[in-house]
Structure formats: structure tokens, C-alpha cells
Amino acid sequence: MTVTTGKKRDKIDRLAELAAVRDDERGVSLWQEAFRRLRRNPAAIVGAVILALFVLVAVVGPFFVPYGATESIGIREGVVKSGQGIIPGPSGDHWLGYDHQGRDVFSRMVVGARQTLLVGVVSTLIGLAVGALIGGIAGASAGLGGRWGRWVDSTLMRFVDMLLALPSLLLAVSVAALLGASLTTVMIAVGVVSVPVFARLLRGSMISQSNSDYVLAATSLGVKRSRIALTHVVPNSLAPVIVQATLTLATAIIEAAALSFLGLGNPDSTIPEWGVMLADAQPYLGIRPALAIYPAVGIIVTALGFTLLGEAMREALDPKLRK
């Protein structure tokens, strides 16, 4: 457990160094150079296209679905008889067929994309907000707070290390079981998992920035330490945090689907969400395995898009690769 925690901690600390700009770099800003390199990276382009399509479907798609996501069309028409093992597949009117309750799978996939995006974004924002608060206080205390600041930093980081020592899925399941099954619970549970990652990442980045020449110059001019931290150090420390937020969206979608699959998500199965759809399909794998394949492919492809873009951003911000 200690070795695993150390590896996770070292990986996060390494990412905190990726946004550090060398003193001999002039003329082109960090983000301009990173964007220029992203445009030449095939993985970044593929990831951006996947995410653009996913967001478009999630935001606009539910307004154009051919059928209601909760409408049991197949049962009303008498074509779906799940008790007898009859669940029709794709047709001209129903592109992905019916589910076990006679609902149009294509419409539920499109509407479920919005729920999946909502869970991923909200849970990431929760982790980012809480983690940035803890990491910002720890980083400012360690870099600019003197002896008492180092004590505050040490106390906060021991709490963060305790969270990092726990497997992410186990921590999410524990939080979800404690709060009870609901969509809000899933968002909070997945958000809690990402808190220590954002906290340690921002803290490491701020400590690196605290040793920069502009901080020394501002201190020499008599600028208050709190103002230096808020107006100078924090803005220059956010690049690796933004990269990590992109990567966290991928894991958030997977972990949210896992919690829903385990029955800790939204108890109302009539509200389509890819993790819930995957769980509902398990009893019918022998009859129509495609009911599980569709949401599984959606989760995998979406997570792949976020991962490709996040890894490309990480490489674009790596100081060792800048010229």
C-alpha cells in the first residue's frame, strides 16, 4: 500500500512540474505553444473530435430523439415479450432495437449521454473545487507561509495522503454507500475520489512557482504574501491542474458507471444513464447481449476521447519537449 501510494504521489508531483517555464524561454506564451503543438498531434485531434461529437449529442441530441426515453413502445405494440425471451433487434424504425421494457434503445442512449456528461462534469468540478482549495492553502502555506505555513501544509498533506492511500473505486463505493443511492451521491462520491489528486497537484505546482524570480521581486517590493499567492502564484500554477481535469473526466465517467452498475446510482431506472443501462442489461445477456454492448461502447469511446486529449495536453505542456 505504501509503495502504491508513493507511486501515485510521485506521478502527481511530476505532473505539477510540467507547466514550469524555463527562464530562457521568451516570446511565445505557454498556452500558445501548447495549442500549436496540439494542432499537430493526431491523438489530440482524434480525442477532440470524439469529445465534440459526444458533447453535441449530449446537449442537442435529446431534442431530436424519435421516441421518448421512458416510452414502452414495444410492449404497447406487443413486439417485446422479455419473459418469453423476445426482444427485437435493430429495424428501420428503431435503429438499435428495443430494451427489455420495450423502450427505444437509440433514444435512451442519446438521452443517457446527457446524464453521463452531467455526472462527469459535476463530479470533476466538485473534486477540482475542493482539491484546489486544499492544495491552494497548502501550497501558499508551504511556499510563502514560513514555519507556521509549513505546519499547515504538513497537516493538510497528511490528510491528502490518507485519501491517496485508498483505492479510488473503494473510496467512491464507501462514500456512495454512506450517503445512499442517488444521482447526487454518485457525483459527490466520484468528486471525493479526485480531491487528493487536484490538491497535491496544485500544491506542488505552487511550491515550484514560489521559487520563481517574479515572486522574489514582488516580495522585495513589499507586496503582501496573500496577494502574491492569489494574483501571481495561483494563476501560473493552473496549467497542470487543467490537464488533470481533462483526464479526471475520463475516470469520472467510468467510476460513475461502475457505481450505477453496482446499484449505488440513481434508483430510478426510467432515467437513462449508461451505467444504469449496463446494469439493467445483465439479466438479458443471453437473449440480447447488444443491450449491454451499446452503453459499454459509449462509455469506452467517451473515456478514450478524454484520455487522448488529456495525454496530448500533458505532452504539449511538458517543459522537456519545448524548444
Side-chain angles (χ1 to χ4, degrees):
M1 184 73 74
T2 303
V3 175
T4 304
T5 304
K7 290 181 178 179
K8 291 168 65 175
R9 187 167 55 230
D10 293 342
K11 185 177 180 181
I12 296 171
D13 291 343
R14 167 62 185 147
L15 182 57
E17 300 173 359
L18 295 184
V21 182
R22 298 192 304 267
D23 293 337
D24 58 351
E25 291 179 342
R26 296 292 186 271
V28 180
S29 70
L30 169 68
W31 291 105
Q32 287 176 332
E33 184 178 354
F35 181 71
R36 188 164 54 198
R37 293 173 58 191
L38 281 175
R39 290 185 300 177
R40 298 195 298 264
N41 191 328
I45 296 174
V46 172
V49 170
I50 292 175
L51 296 185
L53 292 176
F54 172 63
V55 173
L56 181 64
V57 170
V59 174
V60 180
F63 296 104
F64 299 97
V65 291
Y67 303 97
T70 60
E71 189 177 358
S72 300
I73 307 169
I75 293 180
R76 187 173 64 243
E77 296 176 350
V79 297
V80 174
K81 300 177 181 178
S82 57
Q84 302 177 19
I86 302 175
I87 303 178
S91 64
D93 294 330
H94 303 275
W95 295 348
L96 299 181
Y98 302 92
D99 68 357
H100 63 287
Q101 294 186 10
R103 298 168 297 194
D104 183 66
V105 176
F106 175 76
S107 300
R108 289 181 63 80
M109 283 292 296
V110 173
V111 177
R114 173 178 289 183
Q115 294 294 320
T116 301
L117 178 64
L118 176 65
V119 171
V121 170
V122 172
S123 60
T124 301
L125 290 177
I126 291 174
L128 177 60
V130 179
L133 178 62
I134 296 175
I137 295 174
S141 300
L144 303 170
R147 183 167 62 89
W148 287 105
R150 288 190 292 272
W151 181 85
V152 172
D153 169 63
S154 179
T155 302
L156 291 175
M157 285 303 102
R158 297 299 74 77
F159 170 73
V160 169
D161 288 343
M162 289 173 56
L163 295 179
L164 279 175
L166 296 174
S168 58
L169 185 57
L170 177 61
L171 178 60
V173 170
S174 302
V175 174
L178 182 64
L179 298 179
S182 69
L183 189 62
T184 303
T185 294
V186 172
M187 297 177 184
I188 296 175
V190 177
V192 168
V193 170
S194 61
V195 166
V197 177
F198 286 117
R200 190 163 190 89
L201 186 58
L202 181 59
R203 178 247 187 195
S205 183
M206 288 183 65
I207 291 177
S208 298
Q209 292 292 333
S210 297
N211 298 322
S212 301
D213 290 340
Y214 70 86
V215 175
L216 178 60
T219 304
S220 302
L221 293 173
V223 181
K224 292 183 179 179
R225 292 181 178 181
S226 59
R227 184 176 180 183
I228 295 175
L230 292 176
T231 62
H232 298 288
V233 177
V234 171
N236 286 292
S237 304
L238 292 179
V241 178
I242 295 174
V243 173
Q244 183 60 39
T246 306
L247 295 171
T248 300
L249 276 167
T251 59
I253 290 175
I254 295 174
E255 289 169 353
L259 291 178
S260 297
F261 180 80
L262 294 173
L264 297 173
N266 194 343
D268 187 2
S269 61
T270 61
I271 300 177
E273 194 269 325
W274 289 350
V276 176
M277 293 175 65
L278 189 60
D280 290 343
Q282 299 309 301
Y284 306 96
L285 288 177
I287 302 174
R288 189 153 180 262
L291 292 177
I293 294 175
Y294 294 144
V297 170
I299 293 170
I300 292 171
V301 172
T302 303
L304 176 63
F306 281 113
T307 302
L308 288 175
L309 184 59
E311 290 293 342
M313 291 176 63
R314 187 202 300 267
E315 294 177 2
L317 290 168
D318 193 334
K320 292 184 178 180
L321 299 178
R322 296 191 213 128
K323 298 181 180 179

